[in-house]
Amino acid sequence: MIIYGKQIVMYVAKEYPSLCEEIYLAKEIEKSNFNLLKKLGKPILKLDNKKAQALAHGGNHQGYLAKITPPLQTPFKELKRANFLLVLSGVSDVGNIGSLFRSAYALGVDGIVVCELKDLKLEGVIRTSAGAMFGMPFCVVQNTLDVAHELKESGFSLLGTSLEQKGGEKDIGFKKALFLGSEDRGLSKKTLAKMDVCLNIPMKNGFNSLNVGVAGAILMDRMINGSIG
């Protein structure tokens, strides 16, 4: 797997050096950064800009690229031992997924389950999560209803996002899972029917739409540090 960009390559080199396999540089870089990369003991190869652009698929590599070992999924049965999970049901935009990984990691969520997505683009999520994906246990399970059923069987309270509120704080137990739906449709009716509590975010100025990454961050913060549960 190839990652690129100064911030993400240096983050992996500092925090997850064992994942680095090769370093590619397409320009002269700061001496301090070069010395840190050299200490990894991995091959450092110089590339011309054309080759670097090809490896980065046209992205802004800033002269920094690396071949790394991809992050491994955590088995779902292990994630069910957690206390707070985020479940993404049909969220498909790489930027939104990366943003949610980043917020979940920063706020202290225990793990993420990705559902209804055929291809989780790891390179894009790593980049848009600013590397948070490396520290966040995650797995991909295609069927959201199966995930909801198994989490309920494991003692989780299920909380979903909806324009209609259902349930209340008294229904929320110690183990909880927040379900977020797709960018265009939200959670399906069948999934909402499985929820113990349905949440929404009151808004002003006659506006009733938030990006799923923003809405998810607000709700995660409220569930961990604020007024929910």
Side-chain angles (χ1 to χ4, degrees), residues 32-101:
S32 59
N33 285 348
F34 182 81
N35 288 339
L36 189 149
L37 295 174
K38 189 175 180 180
K39 287 180 181 178
L40 296 176
K42 303 296 182 180
I44 299 178
L45 307 176
K46 289 191 175 183
L47 303 179
D48 60 38
N49 190 59
K50 184 177 180 180
K51 179 63 175 177
Q53 284 293 102
L55 288 177
H57 302 290
N60 183 16
H61 56 75
Q62 301 172 295
Y64 291 73
L65 304 97
K67 181 180 179 182
I68 64 166
T69 303
L72 298 176
Q73 295 188 39
T74 300
F76 182 45
K77 64 180 181 181
E78 292 186 20
L79 289 183
K80 289 192 292 184
R81 300 172 188 157
N83 294 320
F84 185 13
L85 294 177
L86 177 65
V87 181
L88 308 182
S89 178
V91 179
S92 59
D93 182 82
V94 169
N96 286 332
I97 298 172
S99 173
L100 288 163
F101 265 81

Side-chain angles (χ1 to χ4, degrees), residues 159-169 172 178-180 187 192 195 197-204 207-210 214-216 218-220 222-223 227-228:
L159 298 90
T161 52
S162 171
L163 294 178
E164 302 292 331
Q165 285 189 313
K166 179 180 87 173
E169 293 182 27
I172 302 174
L178 174 63
F179 284 67
L180 299 176
L187 293 172
L192 285 172
M195 298 295 105
V197 179
C198 287
L199 305 169
N200 61 32
I201 301 172
M203 285 173 268
K204 302 183 184 299
F207 200 70
N208 66 350
S209 177
L210 283 176
V214 174
I218 292 171
L219 292 173
M220 283 185 278
R222 290 181 179 177
M223 290 173 68
S227 59
I228 300 174

